mmCIF file of all heavy atoms in Angstrom:
data_model
loop_
_atom_site.group_PDB
_atom_site.id
_atom_site.type_symbol
_atom_site.label_atom_id
_atom_site.label_comp_id
_atom_site.label_asym_id
_atom_site.label_seq_id
_atom_site.Cartn_x
_atom_site.Cartn_y
_atom_site.Cartn_z
ATOM 1 N N LEU A 329 71.566 159.429 66.932
ATOM 2 C CA LEU A 329 70.421 159.982 66.210
ATOM 3 C C LEU A 329 70.392 161.513 66.247
ATOM 4 O O LEU A 329 70.222 162.176 65.214
ATOM 5 C CB LEU A 329 69.121 159.417 66.787
ATOM 6 C CG LEU A 329 67.824 159.884 66.116
ATOM 7 C CD1 LEU A 329 67.811 159.511 64.650
ATOM 8 C CD2 LEU A 329 66.611 159.311 66.835
ATOM 9 N N GLU A 330 70.556 162.102 67.427
ATOM 10 C CA GLU A 330 70.481 163.561 67.512
ATOM 11 C C GLU A 330 71.659 164.220 66.802
ATOM 12 O O GLU A 330 71.516 165.281 66.187
ATOM 13 C CB GLU A 330 70.387 163.998 68.974
ATOM 14 C CG GLU A 330 69.127 163.467 69.660
ATOM 15 C CD GLU A 330 68.628 164.359 70.779
ATOM 16 O OE1 GLU A 330 69.358 165.301 71.154
ATOM 17 O OE2 GLU A 330 67.504 164.120 71.257
ATOM 18 N N TYR A 333 70.826 164.402 63.111
ATOM 19 C CA TYR A 333 69.945 165.507 62.748
ATOM 20 C C TYR A 333 70.608 166.867 62.893
ATOM 21 O O TYR A 333 70.117 167.861 62.338
ATOM 22 C CB TYR A 333 68.654 165.446 63.565
ATOM 23 C CG TYR A 333 67.629 164.541 62.934
ATOM 24 C CD1 TYR A 333 67.385 163.272 63.441
ATOM 25 C CD2 TYR A 333 66.919 164.944 61.796
ATOM 26 C CE1 TYR A 333 66.454 162.428 62.848
ATOM 27 C CE2 TYR A 333 65.988 164.104 61.194
ATOM 28 C CZ TYR A 333 65.761 162.852 61.721
ATOM 29 O OH TYR A 333 64.848 162.016 61.131
ATOM 30 N N ASP A 362 61.725 153.943 62.371
ATOM 31 C CA ASP A 362 60.352 154.347 62.090
ATOM 32 C C ASP A 362 60.208 155.848 62.323
ATOM 33 O O ASP A 362 60.671 156.384 63.332
ATOM 34 C CB ASP A 362 59.398 153.576 63.005
ATOM 35 C CG ASP A 362 57.956 153.972 62.793
ATOM 36 O OD1 ASP A 362 57.349 153.476 61.827
ATOM 37 O OD2 ASP A 362 57.468 154.793 63.589
ATOM 38 N N LYS A 363 59.582 156.520 61.381
ATOM 39 C CA LYS A 363 59.481 157.983 61.467
ATOM 40 C C LYS A 363 58.739 158.436 62.723
ATOM 41 O O LYS A 363 59.112 159.418 63.353
ATOM 42 C CB LYS A 363 58.811 158.521 60.212
ATOM 43 C CG LYS A 363 59.672 158.376 58.962
ATOM 44 C CD LYS A 363 58.983 158.929 57.735
ATOM 45 C CE LYS A 363 59.878 158.782 56.501
ATOM 46 N NZ LYS A 363 59.223 159.301 55.283
ATOM 47 N N GLY A 364 57.695 157.718 63.086
ATOM 48 C CA GLY A 364 56.963 158.073 64.295
ATOM 49 C C GLY A 364 57.813 157.941 65.532
ATOM 50 O O GLY A 364 57.761 158.774 66.446
ATOM 51 N N PHE A 365 58.647 156.912 65.537
ATOM 52 C CA PHE A 365 59.553 156.685 66.661
ATOM 53 C C PHE A 365 60.554 157.829 66.775
ATOM 54 O O PHE A 365 60.833 158.333 67.872
ATOM 55 C CB PHE A 365 60.277 155.349 66.459
ATOM 56 C CG PHE A 365 61.385 155.082 67.432
ATOM 57 C CD1 PHE A 365 61.117 154.699 68.730
ATOM 58 C CD2 PHE A 365 62.714 155.213 67.047
ATOM 59 C CE1 PHE A 365 62.139 154.451 69.634
ATOM 60 C CE2 PHE A 365 63.746 154.972 67.924
ATOM 61 C CZ PHE A 365 63.454 154.578 69.230
ATOM 62 N N ILE A 366 61.084 158.282 65.643
ATOM 63 C CA ILE A 366 62.060 159.371 65.656
ATOM 64 C C ILE A 366 61.436 160.631 66.257
ATOM 65 O O ILE A 366 62.027 161.298 67.109
ATOM 66 C CB ILE A 366 62.578 159.665 64.233
ATOM 67 C CG1 ILE A 366 63.371 158.468 63.706
ATOM 68 C CG2 ILE A 366 63.457 160.918 64.228
ATOM 69 C CD1 ILE A 366 63.781 158.598 62.260
ATOM 70 N N GLY A 367 60.227 160.949 65.826
ATOM 71 C CA GLY A 367 59.563 162.140 66.327
ATOM 72 C C GLY A 367 59.314 162.099 67.817
ATOM 73 O O GLY A 367 59.296 163.139 68.495
ATOM 74 N N ASP A 368 59.152 160.889 68.354
ATOM 75 C CA ASP A 368 58.886 160.743 69.792
ATOM 76 C C ASP A 368 60.138 160.916 70.647
ATOM 77 O O ASP A 368 60.054 161.381 71.781
ATOM 78 C CB ASP A 368 58.270 159.370 70.074
ATOM 79 C CG ASP A 368 56.828 159.270 69.598
ATOM 80 O OD1 ASP A 368 56.205 160.332 69.394
ATOM 81 O OD2 ASP A 368 56.344 158.137 69.410
ATOM 82 N N ILE A 369 61.302 160.510 70.117
ATOM 83 C CA ILE A 369 62.498 160.489 70.961
ATOM 84 C C ILE A 369 63.505 161.585 70.655
ATOM 85 O O ILE A 369 64.348 161.903 71.488
ATOM 86 C CB ILE A 369 63.216 159.123 70.884
ATOM 87 C CG1 ILE A 369 63.823 158.902 69.486
ATOM 88 C CG2 ILE A 369 62.289 157.989 71.261
ATOM 89 C CD1 ILE A 369 64.768 157.720 69.419
ATOM 90 N N CYS A 370 63.460 162.150 69.458
ATOM 91 C CA CYS A 370 64.476 163.137 69.075
ATOM 92 C C CYS A 370 64.066 164.531 69.549
ATOM 93 O O CYS A 370 62.935 164.974 69.319
ATOM 94 C CB CYS A 370 64.678 163.130 67.558
ATOM 95 S SG CYS A 370 66.126 164.075 67.034
ATOM 96 N N THR A 371 64.972 165.212 70.206
ATOM 97 C CA THR A 371 64.663 166.514 70.801
ATOM 98 C C THR A 371 65.331 167.680 70.070
ATOM 99 O O THR A 371 65.403 168.787 70.595
ATOM 100 C CB THR A 371 65.087 166.540 72.276
ATOM 101 O OG1 THR A 371 66.516 166.338 72.355
ATOM 102 C CG2 THR A 371 64.376 165.466 73.077
ATOM 103 N N VAL A 372 65.839 167.435 68.855
ATOM 104 C CA VAL A 372 66.526 168.495 68.111
ATOM 105 C C VAL A 372 65.495 169.389 67.425
ATOM 106 O O VAL A 372 64.730 168.927 66.578
ATOM 107 C CB VAL A 372 67.471 167.898 67.046
ATOM 108 C CG1 VAL A 372 68.214 169.023 66.328
ATOM 109 C CG2 VAL A 372 68.455 166.928 67.682
ATOM 110 N N PHE A 387 61.488 164.951 60.563
ATOM 111 C CA PHE A 387 61.254 163.591 61.051
ATOM 112 C C PHE A 387 60.317 162.808 60.137
ATOM 113 O O PHE A 387 60.293 161.576 60.167
ATOM 114 C CB PHE A 387 60.692 163.615 62.476
ATOM 115 C CG PHE A 387 61.580 164.357 63.454
ATOM 116 C CD1 PHE A 387 61.032 165.152 64.440
ATOM 117 C CD2 PHE A 387 62.960 164.264 63.371
ATOM 118 C CE1 PHE A 387 61.847 165.841 65.336
ATOM 119 C CE2 PHE A 387 63.781 164.948 64.254
ATOM 120 C CZ PHE A 387 63.226 165.744 65.235
ATOM 121 N N ASN A 388 59.531 163.526 59.323
ATOM 122 C CA ASN A 388 58.631 162.860 58.381
ATOM 123 C C ASN A 388 59.131 162.932 56.936
ATOM 124 O O ASN A 388 58.856 162.035 56.133
ATOM 125 C CB ASN A 388 57.229 163.490 58.458
ATOM 126 C CG ASN A 388 56.540 163.210 59.780
ATOM 127 O OD1 ASN A 388 56.565 162.088 60.275
ATOM 128 N ND2 ASN A 388 55.943 164.239 60.367
#
Side-chain angles (χ1 to χ4, degrees):
L329 181 60
E330 298 209 350
Y333 275 104
D362 178 80
K363 291 180 179 179
F365 171 76
I366 294 173
D368 287 341
I369 68 169
C370 191
T371 62
V372 182
F387 303 142
N388 292 316

